[in-house]
Amino acid sequence: MRPFEIIIPILLAVYLIWSHPRPLWVRFAPALALLATLLHFVFEGYRWQMVPLYVLAPIFALSSLIKITKADWLYPPSNLTMRLVQGGALGLLAVSTAVPVLLPIPKIPTPSGPLAIGTVLYEFTDTSRTELYSENKEEPRKFMIQAWYPATIQESNQRAPWMTNAEIFAPAIATYISLPSYFLDHLALVDIPAFKEAQVAQTDAGYPVIVFSHGWNGFNAQNTGQALELASHGYVVIAVQHTYGAVVTVFPDGTIAPNNPKALPEDADDPNYEVVARKLVDQWAGDISFTLDQFDGLNKDAESIFFETLDLSRVGVYGHSTGGGAAIQFCGTDPRCKAVLGMDPFMRPVSEEVINAGLPQPSFFMFSQSWADLTDSKNNQLFNQFQPNLGDNQGVIVISGTKHFDFSDLPLLSPIAPQLGLKGPLNGPRVIEIVDSYLLNFFEMTLKKQPSDLFSGNFTDFKEVQERN
């Protein structure tokens, strides 16, 4: 909760808990809570989760002020009716406070690196490829990307939101995770420690580039915390929004492209599953390829903020779930990929050729316990077939106490994320520490040739981590 959201229930609770006779400053506490509510509207912004407290603050303020002006405001402590009213009011306050506590404004962690961060969005259109999943089969492939990068910040730069067009994304995300569509409207209030369209910080060596691919029904900002962490250490991180595979895509002209469920069969036992899924991942790998082409052009364009700041000879790719499969497929077919990392990689869409040939680049894979425990799943069988063919395997690990979405920012949506199925029982900050450490160390080691104690210690730094058999 934000500062004024905390102050309001505390002031009301002090007033209700304090035994009679209350000192004068306590009797004014509800009035102060009402003032804090007004300041909250001005500086923090309205959100529906606070509505019960918006109602209670003026009611308690009016009641307390009336009592202050009355000669008979004192009530005997033994007055049973008064105690029942007080207890009921406290219960109502507790319930009213629980709503914003359970659905707080998510806070994307501040990255550990020394560099300030900028972010920018682009729309790319690849006229060489036809869009496979829209109603208009004649249109070219069009998709959005978001980049985070080391930046020089000026006073005119504005903080960036976690997700652009949150008023469209929030209902789509809520519906996907089986919540009422309005439950996540407050995501529009979330900003991140990055600045919109800030100037790229100058560099002599050029920044390595890392491309991120989200999972099925994911979105490009779902791993923003990781992107910020990498960018703060000197990387340009580009997240691709895979149109019609993402939960929703919003283009600058206002066009909305929803997820197309036909792009990936619902039935995992569908005999045609691999064929359909492979077509999807080939499209996603094409998105990654075209993104690198476009950034090569931006690197050469004197009008671009990225002019002569990128080192495209050092490209890393990572992905989550279906995006992990796309990362593997891309790196198995495009030599520009110099390192690949997968988080619960979905192997069923990966081509048989890539599974059998493996990858020549340095590779590292992280599995959640929930996915690793499905030992007989088709996905694990395919990964077991793929793993021995890796040319430079830097390890495959399992993080105990984690679930599939622990590799994203979604657990930040609520402290009851485990009950919502968005994370495992392992403490959220601990998950972030482990995942970010491996992510950063892997790319520091492979793209910057920095030594890594984490990768030389047989994964003993974190007791929650085991090597996958």
Side-chain angles (χ1 to χ4, degrees):
M1 294 175 69
R2 296 171 293 176
F4 286 114
E5 294 178 355
I6 297 170
I7 291 170
I8 296 165
I10 287 177
L11 288 170
L12 296 177
V14 167
Y15 174 75
L16 292 172
I17 292 171
W18 203 289
S19 299
H20 291 281
R22 298 182 178 105
L24 186 60
W25 74 267
V26 173
R27 285 183 277 156
F28 275 108
L32 293 174
L34 181 58
L35 175 61
T37 302
L38 298 176
L39 294 173
H40 156 76
F41 279 115
V42 173
F43 294 106
E44 294 177 338
Y46 160 91
R47 63 187 184 107
W48 71 262
Q49 293 87 351
M50 290 287 293
V51 167
L53 289 173
Y54 299 156
V55 173
L56 290 181
I59 290 174
F60 287 168
L62 180 62
S63 174
S64 66
L65 291 174
I66 289 174
K67 289 178 181 179
I68 289 172
T69 62
K70 289 175 65 177
D72 60 343
W73 67 271
L74 286 174
Y75 292 86
S78 59
N79 189 314
L80 180 60
T81 301
M82 185 59 198
R83 290 184 181 277
L84 289 174
V85 170
Q86 186 178 33
L90 278 169
L92 185 60
L93 177 62
V95 172
S96 300
T97 306
V99 180
V101 167
L102 296 178
L103 288 171
I105 303 295
K107 182 175 174 56
I108 305 297
T110 301
S112 66
L115 302 176
I117 304 165
T119 185
V120 65
L121 290 94
Y122 290 110
E123 175 187 345
F124 291 154
T125 301
D126 184 355
T127 57
S128 69
R129 292 184 297 148
T130 301
E131 177 55 68
L132 302 176
Y133 303 111
S134 70
E135 294 180 359
N136 180 9
K137 297 302 181 184
E138 301 301 318
E139 67 184 37
R141 177 65 170 173
K142 183 171 68 171
F143 59 96
M144 298 295 297
I145 68 93
Q146 183 165 4
W148 298 264
Y149 51 86
T152 301
I153 307 302
Q154 300 175 349
E155 288 187 9
S156 59
N157 292 131
Q158 296 180 335
R159 285 284 286 264
W162 179 23
M163 55 186 76
T164 304
N165 299 303
E167 72 282 358
I168 298 172
F169 274 90
I173 296 166
T175 301
Y176 179 65
I177 61 177
S178 303
L179 293 173
S181 61
Y182 64 88
F183 253 49
L184 301 178
D185 289 353
H186 59 290
L187 296 186
L189 300 173
V190 183
D191 61 20
I192 60 174
F195 294 83
K196 292 190 291 186
E197 300 181 4
Q199 185 63 41
V200 180
Q202 290 303 303
T203 172
D204 294 330
Y207 297 116
V209 173
I210 297 174
V211 182
F212 171 72
S213 178
H214 63 73
W216 175 249
N217 260 306
F219 55 104
N220 58 2
Q222 70 170 52
N223 286 49
T224 294
Q226 296 164 11
L228 294 172
E229 179 68 11
L230 290 167
S232 75
H233 286 273
Y235 295 89
V236 172
V237 184
I238 308 164
V240 180
Q241 179 92 358
H242 299 294
T243 315
Y244 297 109
V247 66
V248 68
T249 300
V250 184
F251 291 100
D253 65 0
T255 302
I256 298 173
N259 177 273
N260 184 345
K262 296 180 181 179
L264 194 64
E266 247 184 79
D267 183 5
D269 294 325
D270 187 325
N272 202 38
Y273 191 96
E274 269 71 24
V275 174
V276 177
R278 194 154 299 149
K279 183 167 74 169
L280 175 76
V281 159
D282 281 343
Q283 185 84 313
W284 289 19
D287 292 345
I288 297 172
S289 176
F290 189 73
T291 295
L292 290 176
D293 293 342
Q294 295 303 104
F295 270 82
D296 182 51
L298 292 172
N299 195 42
K300 297 171 181 175
D301 181 0
E303 301 299 317
S304 164
I305 62 171
F306 291 103
F307 180 55
E308 295 184 344
T309 61
L310 307 177
D311 182 356
L312 288 160
S313 69
R314 295 185 289 167
V315 172
V317 182
Y318 81 107
H320 175 243
S321 194
T322 306
I328 290 170
Q329 185 67 29
F330 173 78
C331 292
T333 55
D334 195 314
R336 288 179 292 181
C337 174
K338 304 304 180 186
V340 58
L341 184 150
M343 300 170 171
D344 275 350
F346 188 42
M347 299 300 298
R348 292 187 68 177
V350 179
S351 68
E352 186 175 349
E353 293 78 11
V354 171
I355 288 176
N356 290 333
L359 297 174
Q361 305 94 336
S363 62
F364 178 67
F365 298 95
M366 294 187 268
F367 281 85
S368 64
Q369 183 179 343
S370 64
W371 271 44
D373 285 349
L374 300 173
T375 53
D376 295 328
S377 69
K378 178 69 170 176
N379 196 67
N380 278 331
Q381 291 174 14
L382 288 170
F383 190 85
N384 291 339
Q385 181 182 341
F386 169 71
Q387 185 176 347
N389 303 323
L390 296 171
D392 189 1
N393 182 4
Q394 294 296 319
V396 182
I397 63 169
V398 177
I399 306 174
S400 298
T402 58
K403 288 188 175 180
H404 190 53
F405 289 120
D406 270 303
F407 290 119
S408 73
D409 294 330
L410 294 185
L412 299 174
L413 294 178
S414 173
I416 58 169
Q419 289 71 33
L420 295 174
L422 296 179
K423 73 177 296 349
L426 183 59
N427 178 272
R430 182 64 167 175
V431 175
I432 292 172
E433 178 187 6
I434 293 171
V435 172
D436 283 2
S437 294
Y438 281 109
L439 181 69
L440 178 61
N441 270 261
F442 175 72
F443 286 120
E444 291 277 90
M445 178 179 66
T446 56
L447 299 183
K448 292 186 178 180
K449 308 305 179 186
Q450 298 291 327
S452 170
D453 292 337
L454 186 61
F455 277 84
S456 62
N458 295 317
F459 311 121
T460 57
D461 291 55
F462 300 107
K463 60 182 176 57
E464 300 88 349
V465 172
Q466 294 86 39
E467 291 193 64
R468 183 180 183 276
N469 296 325

